[in-house]
Amino acid sequence: MKTINQLFSVIATVLILFCTITISAQDETPQGPQYVSVTTMHWNMDMKDFKMDEWKAIEKEYLDKVTKKNEHIMGAGFYLHNISSDNTELIYVQAYPNWNAIDLAAKRNGELAKEAWPNEDERKAFFQKQNAYYSSMHSDEIYATMPNVKNLTDVKEGMIVYVRTSHFAFPKDGSNKEFMDTFNEYTQNVTHKNEYIKGYYPMSHAYGSDGTQFVEAYYLNSLADMDKMFDKDGELFNAHWKDEAAKKAMNDKGGKYFTGVHGDAVYSVVPELRK
C-alpha cells in the first residue's frame, strides 16, 4: 500500500479529536448509535471437533432469540481474523443508542435468555455449548461514534472490514473549527465519493486502555478492493486539492493532530450473524 495514499486516509482520522465533545453536545437528536462496544475474543484452540457451520448455527440461535429482541442493542456482528497479529481472535461488536443502554442491554439479555430457554438445565446446556468455542481470555473497549459516517446499505458474502487504529496528538494550537472544517471537507470529497468504500465508521476512545485511540472501520466488498480504495483516495484527493500549495496546507493541518503511529487489521464479515 502506498504511503502517500495512507497519509491521505489518515487526514480523516486526525481531524476528530477536538470536535468530539462539541458534536455530542450539539446533536440532541442523534440518528444513529452513540457508543460501540468491541469485544476481542479468542477461539478455544483445544476444541477437538470445531466446525464453523455448527458455531454459526449456535450463534444464530442466540442472535434470533436474544440479540435481535433486545431493544437496547441497535446493531451487532461478528468479525473473523483475516489479517491481524493473532489468528485466534474474533471480534464481537455491539452498538447502543446511549451510554445507559450498555448496562440495560446486558440486563435485558439475561431476561431474554430466560424467556428463550425457560428450563434452567436447557439454558445452562446451551451456554455451555456456546462457550465451548471460546477461550476464557477476552478484552473489551468502548468507543464513541463520530460524525461523517458512510452507512453500509448492503452486506455481501466475502465482505471485509479494514480497521485502522490511529493515535491522536494534542497540539496547543488546535481548534474545534479547524478540526471540524478539515474533517468535513476531507470525508465529503474523498471518503464518501470513493465507490470502493461501502461503509465507513469512525470512532474515538470512550472507555478502555488507550485514551488516544481513534478507530476507523472501512467496509469493502473484497480484500482485492483495498489497494483500489487507496488508489481512489489519492485520485479524489488530487481532484479536490488541485495545486501543491492546497495539498500542503491540508496535510499540514491534518498532520499536527496525529502522532504518526497507527496499526492495521483486516477482518471478514459474517453476514448471517448481524443485527
Side-chain angles (χ1 to χ4, degrees), residues 6-223:
Q6 289 179 340
L7 178 59
F8 297 156
S9 178
V10 163
I11 291 172
T13 76
V14 300
L15 299 172
I16 296 176
L17 181 61
F18 287 84
C19 66
T20 303
I21 296 175
T22 301
I23 293 297
S24 298
Q26 291 176 346
D27 189 2
E28 296 178 357
T29 56
Q31 299 300 307
Q34 295 299 290
Y35 292 96
V36 174
S37 67
V38 178
T39 301
T40 301
M41 307 161 69
H42 298 270
W43 296 115
N44 177 6
M45 302 304 287
D46 294 326
M47 191 174 189
K48 302 300 183 184
D49 191 27
F50 177 89
K51 293 183 176 65
M52 182 62 73
D53 287 344
E54 291 181 2
W55 169 74
K56 287 182 179 180
I58 291 170
E59 290 297 349
K60 182 69 163 60
E61 183 177 0
Y62 185 85
L63 174 71
D64 291 339
K65 292 181 176 180
V66 178
T67 308
K68 284 187 176 180
K69 294 182 178 180
N70 192 325
E71 65 272 25
H72 304 294
I73 299 174
M74 297 182 71
F78 280 96
Y79 301 87
L80 307 183
H81 159 87
N82 192 309
I83 302 173
S84 67
S85 60
D86 186 347
N87 70 309
T88 73
E89 71 178 1
L90 66 159
I91 310 298
Y92 183 57
V93 176
Q94 296 182 97
Y96 308 94
N98 52 59
W99 185 265
N100 289 338
I102 298 173
D103 184 51
L104 293 173
K107 293 177 181 177
R108 184 63 175 143
N109 280 344
E111 295 170 355
L112 289 166
K114 289 181 179 179
E115 293 175 13
W117 300 277
N119 182 282
E120 185 175 354
D121 290 338
E122 292 178 0
R123 186 167 65 251
K124 182 178 179 181
F126 175 83
F127 285 114
Q128 285 179 337
K129 183 170 60 174
Q130 183 189 45
N131 291 334
Y133 283 88
Y134 307 113
S135 163
S136 58
M137 180 177 66
H138 75 275
S139 61
D140 300 286
E141 301 282 342
I142 300 175
Y143 297 97
T145 59
M146 295 286 99
N148 287 310
V149 165
K150 183 178 183 178
N151 280 311
L152 179 67
T153 58
D154 185 26
V155 180
K156 299 179 180 179
E157 196 69 36
M159 183 168 274
I160 65 160
V161 179
Y162 163 58
V163 179
R164 173 185 287 272
T165 301
S166 305
H167 298 271
F168 291 114
F170 299 87
K172 292 181 179 179
D173 61 342
S175 70
N176 284 343
K177 186 178 187 308
E178 179 182 65
F179 204 88
M180 196 61 193
D181 287 349
T182 314
F183 174 57
N184 286 341
E185 187 176 7
Y186 183 89
T187 52
Q188 290 166 13
N189 290 285
V190 178
T191 307
H192 287 197
K193 290 183 179 180
N194 190 326
E195 67 268 27
Y196 296 105
I197 300 173
K198 303 306 179 182
Y200 170 69
Y201 296 89
M203 300 171 284
S204 65
H205 163 91
Y207 180 86
S209 59
D210 187 345
T212 72
Q213 266 192 355
F214 185 87
V215 176
E216 293 175 291
Y218 295 85
Y219 284 76
L220 310 172
N221 278 338
S222 69
L223 190 61

Side-chain angles (χ1 to χ4, degrees), residues 8 11 181-190 233-251 253:
F8 297 156
I11 291 172
D181 287 349
T182 314
F183 174 57
N184 286 341
E185 187 176 7
Y186 183 89
T187 52
Q188 290 166 13
N189 290 285
V190 178
D233 277 353
E235 292 175 13
L236 291 166
F237 185 90
N238 289 330
H240 184 70
W241 291 276
K242 298 182 185 301
D243 60 76
E244 292 305 314
K247 292 181 177 65
K248 185 178 185 304
M250 181 63 175
N251 285 332
K253 282 192 291 186

